[in-house]
């Protein structure tokens, strides 16, 4: 059974930091492209991952988080991380980790999603 379990979401003040984690089980971690998406209730899901990392560690970021967020992975522990710095109100959302055999594939085709962890940024 495939499971992606996020944690680390919290309420934080403007300018603060959080480190999200996603424990991946049931799939060969090293064979998958992993990513983070976010969704605000009532707002269309941000197109594409806000951060992605390939099997060999190549990273990509949405412009809205570039320079503030860092994605990383631990192949030994099967954990995906998202370090989020300089948070602002627009980062308030539910964050989901994803796993896909294909990097840069269509969002609708991503087979594995976590249950989400909530981040709230207050001024």
């Amino acid at each position: 059974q495939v499971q992606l379990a996020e944690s680390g979401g919290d309420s934080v003040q403007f300018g603060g930091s959080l480190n999200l984690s996603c424990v991946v089980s049931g799939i060969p971690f090293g064979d998958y492209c992993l990513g983070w998406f976010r969704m605000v209730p009532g707002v269309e899901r941000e197109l594409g991952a806000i951060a992605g990392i390939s099997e060999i560690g190549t990273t990509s970021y949405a412009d809205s988080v570039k320079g503030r967020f860092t994605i990383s992975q631990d192949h030994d522990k099967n954990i995906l991380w998202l370090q989020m710095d300089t948070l602002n109100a627009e980062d308030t959302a539910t964050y989901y980790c994803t796993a896909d055999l294909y990097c840069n594939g269509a969002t609708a085709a991503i087979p594995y999603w976590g249950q989400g962890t909530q981040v709230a940024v207050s001024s």
Side-chain angles (χ1 to χ4, degrees):
Q1 183 179 1
V2 179
Q3 288 189 325
L4 281 68
E6 304 97 334
S7 62
D10 204 347
S11 297
V12 63
Q13 289 193 330
F14 178 90
S17 298
L18 284 174
N19 192 18
L20 305 184
S21 63
C22 174
V23 178
V24 180
S25 60
I27 55 174
F29 187 89
D31 291 350
Y32 280 74
C33 288
L34 305 175
W36 289 95
F37 281 72
R38 66 186 181 188
M39 184 183 305
V40 178
V43 178
E44 183 179 358
R45 179 175 295 171
E46 190 163 6
L47 293 177
I50 57 168
I53 187 166
S54 73
E55 309 95 311
I56 61 171
T58 302
T59 59
S60 60
Y61 298 93
D63 288 343
S64 59
V65 305
K66 197 172 294 183
R68 300 188 298 121
F69 290 10
T70 304
I71 188 171
S72 60
Q73 59 188 351
D74 185 328
H75 283 271
D76 292 330
K77 298 180 180 178
N78 288 8
I79 298 178
L80 177 69
W81 304 94
L82 185 68
Q83 175 66 38
M84 306 189 297
D85 298 316
T86 319
L87 287 162
N88 59 57
E90 293 181 344
D91 297 317
T92 295
T94 300
Y95 285 72
Y96 300 87
C97 65
T98 63
D100 192 351
L101 283 172
Y102 304 101
C103 296
N104 301 314
T107 300
I110 294 175
Y112 303 118
W113 294 75
Q115 82 287 352
T117 186
Q118 294 188 349
V119 172
V121 183
S122 60
S123 58

